[in-house]
Amino acid sequence: MSAIEQAEARPRGTRLPRRARRNQLLGAAQEVFVAHGYHAAAMDDIADRAGVSKPVLYQHFPGKLDLYMALLDQHCEALIQSVRTALSSTSDNKLRVAATMEAYFSYVEHEGGAFRLVFESDLTNEPAVRDRVDKVSLECAEAVCEVIAEDTNRPYDQSMLLAMGLTGMAQITARYWLGSGQSIPRNAAAELISSLAWRGIAGFPLQDTEESDGAQTPPEA
């Protein structure tokens, strides 16, 4: 059961084990933060949504920022793990691209709108939040970079740039797809973008080791 589902099954006054209560509070907080943003959300609203008193909420999270950061950490890690799972699901690079695109599209469609906390936060002026947002983009790209470098034998800087391009494409198009009303079914949308990405990345064949030893090797025309 997800945090959101646990938050919805919350008869007031019910005693829960600490971990279950924490998950319930995170689910309630996610609903409030996604709906209103960080600045407009109030701890009173979150406690009420969870069906608990404010003292109970503060027993688990000392303040609103602590609660927001716990939620952000949870959903940043979820996307990172989803991308890593997609990349390790097959050794066929075309299917890897497709699985990675599907991971992003699935992430924005599900997770109770949590992608808004990661990619559309109204708190990016907070250094700790900015660090988390940068970290999720960097770690997802690094996972893709490893595969590109292994397959093409290109140096790290080139592989990382290509990886940033692929993950950036996945994130932006998935968010656009969701915001545009999902007129294209998710699987078809992810397949369309993976086809575009594959046509690009497939143009970088395995290089000879001698050609790629130096970071100054110019990219192929």
Side-chain angles (χ1 to χ4, degrees), residues 129-211:
V129 173
R130 183 74 257 165
D131 286 346
R132 261 67 165 195
V133 173
D134 290 343
K135 175 187 174 184
V136 70
S137 296
L138 183 63
E139 290 200 16
C140 288
E142 285 180 338
V144 174
C145 173
E146 290 179 10
V147 175
I148 292 174
E150 180 180 351
D151 184 60
T152 67
N153 212 14
R154 285 181 175 268
Y156 173 83
D157 54 355
Q158 293 183 21
S159 298
M160 191 61 179
L161 189 61
L162 291 169
M164 277 292 186
L166 287 173
T167 55
M169 176 192 296
Q171 183 241 119
I172 292 172
T173 55
R175 287 167 53 201
Y176 171 79
W177 165 78
L178 187 71
S180 65
Q182 302 167 264
S183 58
I184 304 173
R186 189 191 81 211
N187 290 345
E191 183 179 351
L192 187 65
I193 299 305
S194 67
S195 178
L196 173 64
W198 176 248
R199 286 173 183 270
I201 198 64
F204 294 90
L206 182 66
Q207 293 184 333
D208 292 335
T209 303
E210 292 182 0
E211 291 182 5

Side-chain angles (χ1 to χ4, degrees), residues 29-42 46 64 68 117 120-123:
Q30 180 176 325
E31 293 175 356
V32 175
F33 285 135
V34 167
H36 304 293
Y38 177 82
H39 295 293
I46 295 170
K64 185 167 73 166
Y68 190 86
L117 305 181
E120 300 174 5
S121 175
D122 61 346
L123 196 60

Side-chain angles (χ1 to χ4, degrees), residues 73-92:
D73 283 340
Q74 175 183 324
H75 290 293
C76 283
E77 186 60 27
L79 178 57
I80 291 168
Q81 289 303 319
S82 182
V83 169
R84 287 176 176 164
T85 298
L87 292 169
S88 63
S89 65
T90 177
S91 59
D92 183 305

